[in-house]
Amino acid sequence: MASDEKKRQVMRAIIQSGGIEIRDVDGGEEPFVYSSKNRGPGYVDIKGRVGFNKVFDPMVDLLADTLVADKVDFDMIVGMMTGGALPGYRLKQLIQEHIGRPIVYVYQRGARKVGGHGELDTGDRNNPDVVPGIRTLVVEELVNFAVTTCNGVAYERGLGRTVTDAACILCYENPVAIQRLRENHIELHYPISLPEILHFGGQEHLLQSQAVDSYMQFLEDPRAWNESRGFQFYAAGE
């Protein structure tokens, strides 16, 4: 199957499985409230696709294709909890099959474990395959403001690991995130952008064009979208 067709099938599967929801806020529906406290018309749930076999496996397979095409070289994958943990492990399996050698996998918690060794990473303790300077890829399911991505990379670098790349299935292509990644010297690899899948959904009549337009307006200027509708804007992630 051609890579473009594979991507189209994955985007279709994400949308049809409910991975993207857009509300008609101007028509009276309640907006989504994000962790930043800001409101918006759309919500993307890539991590929830883990429950859909016909969506999850093709999504991660597409990410593996992207990393192979980009010639990203690494010996260990760090899956960021919670959304990147399972895609990261499946990615390890796919890349191993492609390159014919083992890839180490660990996952990084959102906060240090209480009790035990108080670890943040799980899978590296007393692991002879985790050598100093090991080339490491940080994996998430999606990237919006890239705060967790940059924090995850910084932690791995602090442990003496070589990290120049990160990966995700879907990227918002948020200008704030792009600048933050650049400042932290991280190259992000991903097969699908949010504007791309929204455009595809509208074009294929999988998403209502009016809803897509509203979400695109929000993405272009979240502050203006919120304030023009009487919502307070919180400069989270900036």
Side-chain angles (χ1 to χ4, degrees):
M1 182 190 302
S3 58
D4 285 349
E5 180 58 25
K6 179 186 274 190
K7 180 190 284 193
R8 289 171 63 85
Q9 289 198 13
V10 169
M11 291 193 294
R12 181 181 297 276
I14 290 172
I15 296 171
Q16 290 182 329
S17 67
I20 296 180
E21 185 178 349
I22 307 175
R23 294 177 181 171
D24 183 8
V25 177
D26 295 331
E29 292 185 341
E30 287 294 315
F32 289 97
V33 180
Y34 307 128
S35 58
S36 64
K37 298 182 182 179
N38 289 311
R39 292 165 172 79
Y43 184 76
V44 182
D45 183 18
I46 297 298
K47 65 183 176 186
R49 302 315 94 200
V50 70
F52 298 79
N53 290 339
K54 293 182 178 179
V55 186
F56 180 78
D57 287 341
M59 275 193 329
V60 184
D61 187 58
L62 187 65
L63 177 57
D65 287 350
T66 299
L67 292 169
V68 170
D70 291 351
K71 299 180 179 179
V72 184
D73 197 11
F74 53 90
D75 300 300
M76 183 169 79
I77 289 176
V78 174
M80 298 294 292
M81 291 289 285
T82 56
L86 292 177
Y89 188 80
R90 179 57 183 147
L91 183 66
K92 157 204 158 75
Q93 295 174 318
L94 292 170
I95 294 297
Q96 283 183 158
E97 292 171 8
H98 178 80
I99 63 178
R101 63 175 173 81
I103 295 290
V104 183
Y105 176 79
V106 306
Y107 65 83
Q108 187 182 125
R109 297 170 178 270
R112 286 189 180 277
K113 181 181 178 183
V114 177
H117 295 103
E119 72 270 18
L120 194 59
D121 277 3
T122 297
D124 60 341
R125 183 174 174 78
N126 298 322
N127 188 336
D129 294 325
V130 182
V131 298
I134 188 169
R135 296 171 298 180
T136 302
L137 178 75
V138 168
V139 174
E140 298 202 76
E141 88 283 14
L142 61 77
V143 168
N144 185 357
F145 281 103
V147 173
T148 56
T149 306
C150 292
N151 288 345
V153 168
Y155 179 75
E156 299 302 323
R157 287 173 175 169
L159 294 175
R161 295 159 190 170
T162 302
V163 194
T164 58
D165 299 88
C168 64
I169 294 166
L170 184 146
C171 177
Y172 277 59
E173 292 191 340
N174 183 325
V176 174
I178 292 171
Q179 179 62 26
R180 178 172 283 130
L181 290 164
R182 184 181 298 117
E183 290 172 351
N184 285 274
H185 308 289
I186 302 167
E187 184 171 355
L188 182 67
H189 306 266
Y190 54 94
I192 301 170
S193 72
L194 182 52
E196 181 179 30
I197 196 171
L198 290 176
H199 177 72
F200 172 80
Q203 194 174 50
E204 295 292 309
H205 306 292
L206 300 170
L207 299 169
Q208 293 185 355
S209 58
Q210 184 176 352
V212 170
D213 290 344
S214 177
Y215 202 3
M216 290 296 291
Q217 289 173 14
F218 169 82
L219 293 172
E220 289 169 6
D221 194 338
R223 180 187 294 274
W225 190 95
N226 272 272
E227 293 180 347
S228 67
R229 289 162 177 78
F231 303 132
Q232 181 176 351
F233 181 76
Y234 301 87
E238 296 184 353

